[in-house]
């Protein structure tokens, strides 16, 4: 797996101050994407022990709320095995830290894929918040919390899996529109 950047003390991609891993690889290629440079799975740096150490060093800080996975798409099929391994290690070493994950897939698409993908199943069972859906330019709204367009949802993964239906972590539909 490759990645483009590790952002430290980030307050735009999840609650609190977070460390963000910007992965390479995205099959959605949304029009007006903020990170088209991350679409190519072969572009960027190799995700290695040094990169993991950089993330873990940030997670060691009391002020760091957790890890956010972004990109690209961290749930890009070719990245799932490495993402799953990383998530397991983060949960083992930092059980009180939260993991947020951005993806262009919808919850429904992921539920259809999870049947045949143990890595995806493991990821979903170990993340806290999923920010899902493709970015759609004509639905863009700067007032939304943590997402770019009004079709995207912020899902409480643990509650949603338990109830077998989407439970929103943040309901952006209550935001006053432009």
């Amino acid at each position: 797996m490759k990645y483009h950047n590790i952002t430290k003390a980030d307050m735009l991609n999840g609650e609190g101050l977070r460390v963000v891993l910007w992965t390479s690889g995205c099959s959605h290629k949304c029009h007006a994407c903020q990170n088209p440079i991350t679409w190519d799975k072969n572009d960027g740096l190799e995700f290695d022990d040094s990169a993991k150490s950089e993330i873990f060093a940030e997670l060691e800080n009391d002020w760091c709320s957790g890890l956010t996975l972004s990109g690209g798409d961290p749930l890009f099929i070719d990245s799932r095995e490495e993402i799953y391994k990383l998530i397991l290690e983060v949960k083992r070493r930092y059980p009180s830290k939260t993991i947020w994950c951005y993806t262009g897939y919808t919850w429904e698409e992921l539920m259809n894929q999870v049947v045949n993908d143990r890595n995806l199943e493991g990821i979903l069972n170990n993340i806290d918040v999923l920010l899902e859906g493709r970015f759609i330019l004509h639905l863009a709204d700067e007032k939304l919390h943590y997402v770019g367009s009004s079709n995207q949802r912020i899902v409480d993964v643990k509650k949603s899996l338990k109830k077998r239906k989407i439970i929103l972590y943040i309901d952006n539909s209550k935001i006053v529109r432009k």
Side-chain angles (χ1 to χ4, degrees), residues 6-9 18-19 53-64 97:
I6 296 170
T7 307
K8 300 166 184 167
R18 310 183 69 75
V19 58
S53 294
E54 191 175 342
I55 290 169
F56 296 154
E58 290 302 300
L59 290 169
E60 286 289 333
N61 294 304
D62 289 339
W63 53 259
C64 184
K97 307 284 181 169

Side-chain angles (χ1 to χ4, degrees), residues 24-86:
S24 297
C26 182
S27 58
H28 308 295
K29 298 181 170 72
C30 301
H31 174 68
C33 171
Q34 68 173 355
N35 292 321
I37 193 170
T38 63
W39 291 353
D40 183 351
K41 70 177 184 175
N42 298 310
D43 195 26
L45 306 166
E46 198 63 44
F47 188 74
D48 57 13
D49 288 338
S50 176
K52 273 200 274 190
S53 294
E54 191 175 342
I55 290 169
F56 296 154
E58 290 302 300
L59 290 169
E60 286 289 333
N61 294 304
D62 289 339
W63 53 259
C64 184
S65 299
L67 171 66
T68 296
L69 302 166
S70 194
D73 190 334
L75 299 185
F76 179 68
I77 192 79
D78 293 352
S79 301
R80 290 178 183 178
E81 184 176 355
E82 282 298 312
I83 291 294
Y84 181 36
K85 288 177 186 175
L86 174 63

Side-chain angles (χ1 to χ4, degrees):
M1 178 179 80
K2 297 207 173 192
Y3 74 102
H4 273 266
N5 195 17
I6 296 170
T7 307
K8 300 166 184 167
D10 182 293
M11 63 175 146
L12 300 175
N13 295 286
E15 290 179 337
L17 293 173
R18 310 183 69 75
V19 58
V20 182
L21 174 64
W22 302 87
T23 62
S24 297
C26 182
S27 58
H28 308 295
K29 298 181 170 72
C30 301
H31 174 68
C33 171
Q34 68 173 355
N35 292 321
I37 193 170
T38 63
W39 291 353
D40 183 351
K41 70 177 184 175
N42 298 310
D43 195 26
L45 306 166
E46 198 63 44
F47 188 74
D48 57 13
D49 288 338
S50 176
K52 273 200 274 190
S53 294
E54 191 175 342
I55 290 169
F56 296 154
E58 290 302 300
L59 290 169
E60 286 289 333
N61 294 304
D62 289 339
W63 53 259
C64 184
S65 299
L67 171 66
T68 296
L69 302 166
S70 194
D73 190 334
L75 299 185
F76 179 68
I77 192 79
D78 293 352
S79 301
R80 290 178 183 178
E81 184 176 355
E82 282 298 312
I83 291 294
Y84 181 36
K85 288 177 186 175
L86 174 63
I87 287 171
L88 286 179
E89 193 164 352
V90 168
K91 281 296 184 185
R92 182 181 58 79
R93 292 175 70 162
Y94 309 100
S96 66
K97 307 284 181 169
T98 59
I99 299 176
W100 287 43
C101 182
Y102 283 85
T103 184
Y105 293 105
T106 64
W107 179 262
E108 293 80 8
E109 289 169 329
L110 293 171
M111 291 301 99
N112 286 332
Q113 293 176 28
V114 78
V115 175
N116 299 313
D117 188 335
R118 288 190 175 165
N119 290 317
L120 179 58
E121 179 182 23
I123 291 167
L124 293 174
N125 284 327
N126 286 284
I127 63 173
D128 300 287
V129 177
L130 183 75
L131 303 98
E132 58 91 62
R134 290 159 189 79
F135 174 74
I136 299 175
L137 183 58
H138 75 272
L139 297 177
D141 187 339
E142 64 210 24
K143 294 179 183 165
L144 299 172
H145 296 289
Y146 305 117
V147 295
S149 57
S150 60
N151 63 297
Q152 297 172 307
R153 298 175 291 188
I154 304 172
V155 178
D156 185 316
V157 178
K158 293 185 184 338
K159 287 181 182 176
S160 296
L161 289 173
K162 185 176 181 180
K163 299 273 187 185
R164 295 184 179 211
K165 68 177 188 172
I166 290 181
I167 306 295
L168 297 178
Y169 185 78
I170 295 173
D171 186 353
N172 272 320
S173 69
K174 297 184 186 328
I175 304 251
V176 176
R177 303 284 182 238
K178 301 180 206 180

